[in-house]
Amino acid sequence: MKRLLSHQRLSAPFRRFVRCEEGGGGVIEFVVMLPLIMFLFMASAEAGIYTARQILLDRAVDLTMRDLGLGNIPNPNHDTIKADICANVPALPECNDNIRVELLPISTTTWNMPTASATCIDRGSAVQPALSFNPGAPNELMLVRVCVVQDAMFPGASIGKGLEEADGQEGYRLISVSAFVNQPT
């Protein structure tokens, strides 16, 4: 008998809660607001990761181009420049597979700049367009354009859709442009 009374005493608040018709308003507000709050959280996280990756890519390109301009990279080619940039930015997953580097001399008499935007890798295509890679001569002004394709952190949420989409695989572009003058040897 004593056990039955304690069981009834413990279950009485639960039964009152189930029968109560006044507490549903808080649950409805929670159910309505939770998706909005989660979307804002995911959008903030995506924007933060995008911004951090962009800043780190810009820094890595500047460090690599400083070494290249000073002649600290012997026999520069596309692969060595890619590897050096990716070594300077650890926050880009699969950097070597998703990066394109374009290096062009700029004439200081005509100042003709390339008209097209930076070319990025298309992960959906087996063939990639050829890029110009010319390390330049001493005292020559050089323009470098780097494009890295990265996946969105929340690809199913379509939060990265507002970013410049690179391919049909929900990747977005990180583009860094820099210029330097090759130092005389």
Side-chain angles (χ1 to χ4, degrees):
M1 179 77 166
K2 191 173 188 177
R3 185 170 183 221
L4 182 62
L5 286 175
S6 66
H7 181 349
Q8 288 176 346
R9 207 175 331 153
L10 291 175
S11 65
F14 178 72
R15 279 186 278 140
R16 264 185 273 135
F17 175 74
V18 170
R19 277 188 267 133
C20 180
E21 296 178 6
E22 299 170 1
V27 173
I28 291 172
E29 291 171 0
F30 177 76
V31 168
V32 170
M33 293 304 291
L34 182 65
L36 177 64
I37 291 170
M38 290 305 294
F39 179 79
L40 288 174
F41 169 74
M42 291 186 328
S44 298
E46 190 75 54
I49 293 293
Y50 173 81
T51 303
R53 285 177 175 171
Q54 182 66 54
I55 290 168
L56 291 171
L57 176 64
D58 289 341
R59 181 180 181 278
V61 169
D62 287 343
L63 289 173
T64 302
M65 292 309 115
R66 181 178 63 196
D67 285 344
L68 184 63
L70 293 173
N72 294 338
I73 301 176
N75 302 322
N77 61 33
H78 190 259
D79 292 334
T80 58
I81 299 299
K82 275 181 18 175
D84 199 41
I85 291 171
C86 290
N88 286 324
V89 59
L92 297 177
E94 301 175 10
C95 178
N96 278 325
D97 297 334
N98 297 322
I99 189 170
R100 299 290 302 262
V101 179
E102 188 174 17
L103 194 59
L104 306 163
I106 301 295
S107 170
T108 55
T109 56
T110 62
W111 294 101
N112 289 335
M113 302 296 279
T115 56
S117 65
T119 305
C120 293
I121 193 165
D122 183 2
R123 297 181 295 178
S125 175
V127 178
Q128 300 299 325
L131 291 179
S132 175
F133 189 86
N134 178 357
N139 292 322
E140 192 168 25
L141 178 64
M142 303 299 295
L143 175 73
V144 62
R145 298 190 299 186
V146 177
C147 180
V148 180
V149 177
Q150 290 293 292
D151 289 323
M153 201 163 91
F154 302 107
S158 299
I159 294 170
K161 290 286 187 191
L163 303 172
E164 190 174 357
E165 196 170 339
D167 54 16
Q169 300 175 0
E170 295 199 24
Y172 56 81
R173 300 173 188 197
L174 297 170
I175 298 173
S176 182
V177 179
S178 185
F180 64 95
V181 174
N182 281 327
Q183 297 299 313
T185 54

